[in-house]
Amino acid sequence: MKLNLYLENSGKTTTEFAGLIGVSVATASRYITGARRPREQIMERIISVTGGAVTPNDFYALSKAHEEVSSS
């Protein structure tokens, strides 16, 4: 699930989310819009805060065909 969809569904604001993962609101906004990808340590926090709903793959535009080939 994309981060912006997670936030919409959960009702969390960008400010709340930024606080939960320990980054500035500006940085969280960049993650939400896809302008920036989180480093490993921050990604681990995102996974934890979202209960696994948002994963590293959600930050990359991989096609379904590519994902199926990669998992074979």
Side-chain angles (χ1 to χ4, degrees), residues 37-47 56:
R37 293 186 190 118
R39 294 185 320 247
E40 183 178 350
Q41 182 181 30
I42 301 300
M43 190 66 240
E44 289 172 359
R45 292 181 203 161
I46 291 171
I47 294 167

Side-chain angles (χ1 to χ4, degrees), residues 10-39:
S10 70
K12 287 183 175 53
T13 66
T14 301
T15 302
E16 290 172 318
F17 185 72
L20 290 170
I21 64 169
V23 300
S24 70
V25 173
T27 297
S29 292
R30 289 182 188 105
Y31 296 153
I32 293 165
T33 63
R36 185 172 175 185
R37 293 186 190 118
R39 294 185 320 247

